[in-house]
């Protein structure tokens, strides 16, 4: 039996990854918009993003809009693959549970 990816499996990180996976490949979302969508504090979201970034699943790009810093987030290719593997493993586990 294949194990679920523990980096993704934490509830908050699963919410982050599934939201980013809903974006088209190459599309980004701002930190502020993701924070609002997920109703998470900035500190909590930052902590989970750091863990996902350390795993190579999320890419953060920092830019300036005028004088204001803006952080853009996207899943990496490895992150998309990891999420696809995660969902496949979860589906397999659920099918096995119904047997």
């Amino acid at each position: 039996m294949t194990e679920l990816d523990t980096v993704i499996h934490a509830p908050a990180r699963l919410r982050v990854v599934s939201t980013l996976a809903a974006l088209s490949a190459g599309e980004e979302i701002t930190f502020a918009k993701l924070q609002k969508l997920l109703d998470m504090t900035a500190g909590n979201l930052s902590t989970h993003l750091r863990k996902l970034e350390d795993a190579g699943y999320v890419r953060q790009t920092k830019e300036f809009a005028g004088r204001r810093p803006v952080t853009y987030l996207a899943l990496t290719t490895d992150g998309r693959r990891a999420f696809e593997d995660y969902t496949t493993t979860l589906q397999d586990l659920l099918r096995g549970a119904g047997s």
Side-chain angles (χ1 to χ4, degrees), residues 15-63:
R15 291 173 57 218
V16 169
V17 172
S18 61
T19 301
L20 294 177
L23 302 174
S24 301
E27 190 177 357
E28 298 175 317
I29 188 171
T30 65
F31 180 94
K33 185 170 183 179
L34 183 63
Q35 180 186 1
K36 186 173 181 173
L37 282 171
L38 299 179
D39 192 28
M40 295 173 74
T41 66
N44 192 20
L45 180 56
S46 292
T47 298
H48 290 293
L49 286 169
R50 189 173 314 113
K51 190 98 164 166
L52 291 164
E53 191 174 27
D54 288 348
Y57 295 170
V58 170
R59 180 185 73 252
Q60 293 190 48
T61 307
K62 297 180 186 279
E63 297 179 5

Side-chain angles (χ1 to χ4, degrees), residues 72-87:
Y72 293 95
L73 306 161
L75 276 185
T76 63
T77 302
D78 288 344
R80 283 192 182 279
R81 188 175 313 111
F83 184 64
E84 289 168 6
D85 292 347
Y86 177 89
T87 56

